[in-house]
Every structure is written in structure tokens, then in C-alpha cells.
Amino acid sequence: MNRFPIWKYLVIAVVLIVSTIYTLPNFFGETPAVQISSTRQSAAVNTALMARVESLLQQHGIKPTGLFLDGNSLKVRFNDPDTQIKARDLIQQSLGDTYIIALNLLTASPEWLTKLHANPMFLGLDLRGGVHFLLEVDMKAAVDKTMDRYAGDIRRELKAAKVRYGNIKRTGDTALEVQLRDEETLNAAADKLARSMPSLTFSSDKQLYRLTLTLKPEEITRIQGDAVKQNITTLHNRVNELGVAEPVIQQAGPSRIVVQLPGVQDTAKAKDILGRTASLQVRLVEDDPSRVAEAMAGNTPSGFELLDEVTPHGPQKILVKKDVELTGDNINDAQPGFDENGGAAVHIGLDSTGAAIFRDVTRDNIGKRMAMILVEKNRMEVVTAPVIRGEIGGGRVQISGSMNPAEANDVALLLRAGSLAAPMNIIEERTIGPSLGKENIEKGFHSTLWGFAAIAVFMMIYYGVFGVISTLSLGVNLFMLVAILSMLQATLTLPGIAAIALTLGMAIDANVLINERIREELRNGVPPQSAIQAGYAHAWATILDSNVTTLIAGIALLIFGSGPVRGFAVVHCLGILTSMFSAVIVSRGIVNLWYGRRRRLTSISIGQIWKPDTN
């Protein structure tokens, strides 16, 4: 007799139930929607905003199929893409730039499946489409950021050399002017800076004791080229943090970057994360009442800037120096956390250079206030401005203010992934449909379906009942593979569909091996029950060897491949593992249920058994 222990049947049952649950969402499809998300500069997304949007749509005769709040965003469903786009334009015109308005696709799965985190597979750009951004790097801002850094370096170099200097100011886009006391300090400054800053050209006015430092043309070209390269690297880091599979991020011209995010669900989140600059600046605060009053009256003193400080009571004006003491370029780690009062905060780790600068700034300015400024989308916002109580070493810095844990997590993600070398403007944004059309989706589906049907017909004709059992285990294998891809939220592309079709052919190979070994035992005169047991036992070694060698090739593709090749490799490797389980465990369980309990089994339906001619 062939019987499985109860726990094996329970394992098979659990696998079938879980596979069914996580495969179902792929049959419900998706509905077009508009997603409205908040920024740090906008009001909260709440029921009041939902009522406002609903009223706005009703006034213009647009009927959404549903509105609901999802975390920090409002999602509005529609019946078709045309209504979706019309509603997006209307909402954008009404709310302006204070909110992030983006197109989205939401799963149409029932609520009970969503609560179980059962979501459909993502489809790549060649199947469902995704989000396409064309970003333009602000080259002037890249040069400005470099000049600000040079200004800070000049101050530190002259201070270290004990050369007394006056103002350091910009003259034009690519030049800095340093005011010195006399000809002696002028010569000393020129000698010191010329050795440490070879990328600048120097000219001096010995009558006015001014030293002018100008970027060389080749240096400007290098800065702009590096800005695009650094932004591409930073975008890759941010996309990886978002968990987007198989992204396309590449340069398009001297100052533009194309970003394609296949199968992305939260398009508003992607738009916000990719477009934000999120660089950190540390500056000193000016608390002189006369200068503060002068700035509040609309006459900001030279060398200072009036910014907004986020407080629990709302934004307040604060006067800070334009001189940047420290930037986000010196950050090597950023993690969300909480401050000593339990409020959300971001804990920052500085590299050795940043730690030394921060230690010097805090040592030389005890009793003064220091502003932590977050620069996002060309907007500067003081998130905290504490009083310096003493020298701070060790390279650990904390910024906190009026931010919630979600905002602290976003800021930490952006700082950790690296600051952009220059701000970028989204000059083109679209949620694109299948690049090869619905015809490719249908062909991919039909090829898998008809391939499965052809295999099933052949197996049932050639192996009888055992062919039916092999077909059932093959169906379980397909269910398991789709369920795992859905649980992993993998992005399915055309190469992935090809891998599924290939997996079906490879999976049935294992059943063919088992059935042929059982036939061989029967030809040798072994009783049916013993033939079944021996067939599965003897076929297992061959199945394992063949699948392991194929798995090695798939892992090599996964490690060394990229883009669609990796997508193929992921499905291929998962298919090998699921096929081994379904061919050996599931099919054996079904065989045991059908034949295993019969004590006097005289024959089994496994097709015609040809015996060799002994004459």
C-alpha cells in the first residue's frame, strides 16, 4: 500500500489554499485612479480634502467609482482612463502645486483579499506599462552649489592658515571675490588657495586688496557632467529603496535623464521621491534684534536670508547667514528615529570631514543658534534651530522638528540614498500603457494556455489516469508559481511569460520520468503498488540532478544578467523549485489517494505498456 502521512496532505492543502488566495488577485485586473498626496508644505490629506475633491468632481459632472483615504494619500477611482485624466487635470488646477497629483492604477480585488496583502503581480512596461519621467537637471544650480562649497572651503582654508579676511561674495555665476586687509594678506591668501584649489584661476586687485577666484571652463564642463552622473546614481539608490523592479534610468542628452518605473503602484510616491532634492545645510542663525527687525521689515541685510522655521505653532520667520557651514555631501548614514521628547527625528552620521567641520563650528559658536535647513525642490525650510551648548564631536547629528514618523522616514531615505548634485525638474510625466500593446499580453497568455492544454491532452492520452494526475500537478505548479510571483510583487515582462511557458515544459519532464519508471517496473513484473513506490523512488535522483544543473544556469543568469534577462531568470528559478514540489509531492499525494488504499491492486491506468520481444 502507498500512503502519505497526514502532515504531508496538510502541507499540500495549505499550499493549495495559499496559492489560490494569492493567485486570485491577478484575475480581477486594475482600475484607473488619481492619487493625491501631501508634501511638507501642504495641508494634511484628510476627510475635509476628500469632501472638497468629491464636491469639485460633482460640480463638473465627473462621477468617481470610489474615494478613500490610504495613509497620507487620497485615492479616487474611475471607470476609464479618459475620465481619470480629465479628473487629474481638474484636481491639479484646483489644488495647485501644494499637493502631489498623479495617475495610478489600483487593484480591483475584493477588500478581503487586500486585507490579506494578496496583490496582483506587477506587469512590466512591455505588458502593462508603468511610469515614465523625463527629468532635466538644473545646470545653473549645480554650478551654484559648487560655488557655495568653494566659499565654505575658502573660509576654512584661510582660517586654518590664520589669514584675516573680509567678505566672500559671488561676482557673476562662476566667480568668488575675497576682500583682504592689505597686500601682505592678499599675497598670503593667493599663495594658500592656489595650492589647495587648482581648478580655479586667480586674479588680484592690489589697490583694493581683492582676490577673485574663477572656475576654469573645463571645470564647469566637468561639474555639469558629474551632476548628471551623480543624479543618475542617486536615482538608482532611491529607486532601489522604493523596491521597484527592473527600472530604466539613463541619460538622454547633456542635461536630461529618462526614468521608467515598470509596474510601479504608488506613482505619487515615486514622483515625490525622485523629484525631491533633499539636501541638508547647516548655517548659523543671526539673533541680533536690529538685523532681525530690519529683515522683517523687508530689507534683508547683505549676507543673510530670511527663511521659514517649522514649529508646533506653525511656520515662523528666522534670519540665517548665507554662509553654508556643512552640506549633505558629508552624510554617510541617515536613519529615522525619535528625539528625547518622543518626537519623530532623523539621526545622521557624518563622515570624517563632516564630523571635523561640525566639531569646529560648534566649538567656535557656543551660545549661538545653528539652523538645520532641509532643501527640497528649491525650497529652504529650517526644521530645527537649537542653541549650541558645547562642542559636538563624534559625527552624530540629530534633526527634529514638526515632522511625523512617515516624513522622518522619507527624509532619512533621501539623505541616505544621497543628495542630488543639482535639482531636477520633471518636464514630462506620463503613465504609459503597454509598449507592445494588448495583443502581446493576449499572445503571451494564449501561448501559455494552449501550451498547457496541448501538454494536458498528450499526457492524458499517453498515460491515462497517471496523465490526468500529471496534468493536475502541473496546474498546481502554475498556481504556485503565479502565487509566489504575486507575493514577491515581482514585475512580469514578456521574457517572464516565456520563462513560465518554459517552466511548464520542464515541469512535465519530471512527471514523464516518474511515469516511465513506473512502466519499467511493471514491465519487469513488479506488482502495481510496488511499481508506484519504486518508480517515484528511482526517478527522484534523476529529477534532482537535472533540475539542480538547470537551476545553476538560472542563478548565473540572475547574478550576471540585467533587465529582462534577470526577469526571465527569476521566473525560471522559481519555476524549477515549484515544479520539483508539484511533480514529486503533489502528484504522489494524488496517486496515493487514488490507488494507495487498495489492498489488491491488480492494474493501474498508465497507458499501454510495451514489453520487449523475447524471441
Side-chain angles (χ1 to χ4, degrees):
M1 297 179 66
N2 288 291
R3 291 185 181 181
F4 258 177
I6 295 296
W7 69 267
K8 286 190 177 182
Y9 284 115
L10 290 177
V11 168
I12 295 174
V14 169
V15 168
L16 287 173
I17 293 171
V18 172
S19 298
T20 302
I21 290 175
Y22 284 91
T23 300
L24 280 177
N26 295 283
F27 295 100
F28 288 100
E30 294 171 320
T31 57
V34 172
Q35 181 168 301
I36 306 168
S37 302
S38 64
T39 64
R40 286 181 56 81
Q41 289 78 24
S42 63
V45 176
N46 50 28
T47 54
L49 178 65
M50 183 167 65
R52 178 183 172 185
V53 171
E54 187 174 16
S55 175
L56 175 68
L57 295 176
Q58 287 178 353
Q59 290 175 8
H60 290 80
I62 299 175
K63 295 183 179 180
T65 57
L67 294 88
F68 63 97
L69 294 171
D70 184 12
N72 292 325
S73 65
L74 170 64
K75 295 179 179 177
V76 188
R77 293 178 182 267
F78 299 95
N79 282 322
D80 55 83
D82 292 338
T83 307
Q84 173 200 31
I85 294 173
K86 183 179 178 181
R88 191 275 305 271
D89 295 339
L90 180 64
I91 295 171
Q92 182 74 69
Q93 183 179 3
S94 175
L95 299 183
D97 295 331
T98 55
Y99 290 89
I100 302 168
I101 316 297
L103 302 176
N104 209 337
L105 290 171
L106 302 179
T107 177
S109 302
E111 186 177 355
W112 67 273
L113 280 176
T114 305
K115 288 182 178 179
L116 293 174
H117 301 286
N119 299 308
M121 285 183 292
F122 290 157
L123 299 179
L125 284 169
D126 53 356
L127 295 179
R128 188 195 71 183
V131 185
H132 171 95
F133 293 117
L134 181 60
L135 308 172
E136 185 166 35
V137 180
D138 189 343
M139 292 302 187
K140 183 179 182 300
V143 175
D144 289 343
K145 185 176 180 180
T146 302
M147 297 306 294
D148 291 339
R149 187 176 71 249
Y150 272 122
D153 292 342
I154 289 170
R155 286 195 299 273
R156 283 186 288 272
E157 291 286 345
L158 295 180
K159 188 174 181 180
K162 297 182 179 179
V163 176
R164 300 191 65 179
Y165 62 93
N167 291 330
I168 300 177
K169 63 180 182 180
R170 292 277 296 276
T171 56
D173 293 335
T174 61
L176 291 168
E177 187 179 84
V178 185
Q179 182 66 52
L180 284 308
R181 293 180 58 189
D182 49 38
E183 186 173 351
E184 181 183 355
T185 56
L186 175 64
N187 293 332
D191 182 62
K192 174 65 176 176
L193 297 177
R195 290 197 304 268
S196 60
M197 299 180 180
S199 58
L200 301 175
T201 59
F202 295 81
S203 61
S204 57
D205 186 339
K206 295 187 177 181
Q207 292 182 345
L208 299 176
Y209 310 126
R210 288 178 183 170
L211 182 63
T212 303
L213 301 88
T214 307
L215 279 175
K216 295 179 180 179
E218 58 270 22
E219 181 67 11
I220 297 174
T221 303
R222 186 195 64 79
I223 291 169
Q224 293 176 342
D226 288 349
V228 176
K229 292 178 182 178
Q230 181 179 332
N231 280 12
I232 290 176
T233 301
T234 302
L235 289 175
H236 270 291
N237 293 336
R238 293 183 180 182
V239 168
N240 290 337
E241 293 263 5
L242 287 171
V244 178
E246 299 182 14
V248 175
I249 303 174
Q250 59 190 17
Q251 187 171 349
S255 62
R256 294 185 175 183
I257 300 172
V258 171
V259 179
Q260 293 180 353
L261 306 179
V264 70
Q265 286 280 336
D266 197 348
T267 57
K269 180 76 168 181
K271 180 181 177 181
D272 185 33
I273 293 295
L274 295 179
R276 287 164 66 176
T277 307
S279 60
L280 184 70
Q281 293 182 356
V282 177
R283 303 192 200 174
L284 293 176
V285 178
E286 179 56 61
D287 286 325
D288 186 343
S290 61
R291 286 185 170 176
V292 173
E294 184 181 357
M296 295 297 291
N299 187 20
T300 305
S302 176
F304 294 89
E305 198 168 3
L306 199 62
L307 300 178
D308 288 328
E309 179 185 9
V310 178
T311 68
H313 308 291
Q316 296 181 359
K317 295 296 182 181
I318 182 173
L319 187 63
V320 299
K321 294 182 178 181
K322 286 188 175 180
D323 296 339
V324 179
E325 304 293 342
L326 186 69
T327 68
D329 294 335
N330 299 111
I331 293 175
N332 57 21
D333 185 40
Q335 298 293 336
F338 298 93
D339 58 19
E340 59 275 5
N341 298 319
V346 179
H347 300 282
I348 297 172
L350 301 175
D351 58 20
S352 57
T353 303
I357 294 172
F358 197 76
R359 182 182 63 248
D360 294 341
V361 170
T362 53
R363 182 189 63 227
D364 299 338
N365 295 279
I366 294 176
K368 298 180 180 180
R369 295 174 69 197
M370 178 175 58
M372 300 283 186
I373 302 171
L374 194 64
V375 184
E376 298 183 56
K377 294 182 179 178
N378 295 325
R379 297 181 182 179
M380 294 186 180
E381 182 180 71
V382 179
V383 293
T384 183
V387 177
I388 301 172
R389 302 297 183 186
E391 178 182 321
I392 302 175
R396 300 300 301 177
V397 183
Q398 173 183 290
I399 60 173
S400 60
S402 298
M403 63 173 70
N404 56 42
E407 290 171 339
N409 187 69
D410 284 349
V411 172
L413 185 157
L414 292 166
L415 295 176
R416 185 170 63 250
S419 63
L420 295 171
M424 295 185 298
N425 299 315
I426 299 176
I427 60 175
E428 181 184 342
E429 174 208 352
R430 65 179 185 269
T431 300
I432 60 177
S435 60
L436 300 179
K438 292 183 179 180
E439 183 179 353
N440 279 342
I441 302 176
E442 294 175 358
K443 285 184 176 180
F445 175 76
H446 288 156
S447 64
T448 304
L449 176 63
W450 290 112
F452 181 90
I455 291 172
V457 170
F458 171 80
M459 292 296 290
M460 287 187 287
I461 292 175
Y462 197 72
Y463 290 112
V465 171
F466 271 79
V468 174
I469 293 172
S470 299
T471 302
L472 290 175
S473 67
L474 188 63
V476 172
N477 174 52
L478 187 59
F479 256 56
M480 289 173 59
L481 180 57
V482 174
I484 292 174
L485 291 173
S486 299
M487 285 189 283
L488 294 177
Q489 290 291 274
T491 299
L492 183 66
T493 59
L494 278 175
I497 292 179
I500 292 177
L502 178 63
T503 297
L504 293 179
M506 293 175 57
I508 206 64
D509 279 349
N511 292 103
V512 170
L513 285 172
I514 292 169
N515 293 343
E516 288 299 330
R517 290 309 297 260
I518 295 175
R519 278 181 164 188
E520 184 178 347
E521 296 295 330
L522 292 173
R523 282 195 295 267
N524 293 332
V526 177
Q529 292 287 14
S530 300
I532 292 172
Q533 186 173 0
Y536 275 96
H538 294 160
W540 167 243
T542 307
I543 293 170
L544 182 62
D545 288 345
S546 62
N547 280 283
V548 167
T549 53
T550 310
L551 185 63
I552 291 173
I555 293 174
L557 286 176
L558 188 62
I559 295 173
F560 299 108
S562 63
V565 175
R566 293 194 68 188
F568 175 90
V570 168
V571 179
H572 178 63
C573 292
L574 291 175
I576 291 172
L577 299 177
T578 56
S579 67
M580 291 174 66
F581 178 84
S582 63
V584 177
I585 303 298
V586 176
S587 68
R588 180 68 183 274
I590 300 174
V591 168
N592 287 354
L593 282 175
W594 190 258
Y595 289 117
R597 296 183 180 277
R598 303 183 189 182
R599 295 182 179 274
R600 296 181 179 179
L601 183 63
T602 58
S603 65
I604 56 177
S605 176
I606 196 169
Q608 188 172 359
I609 302 174
W610 301 94
K611 294 185 179 181
D613 190 358
T614 57
N615 295 329

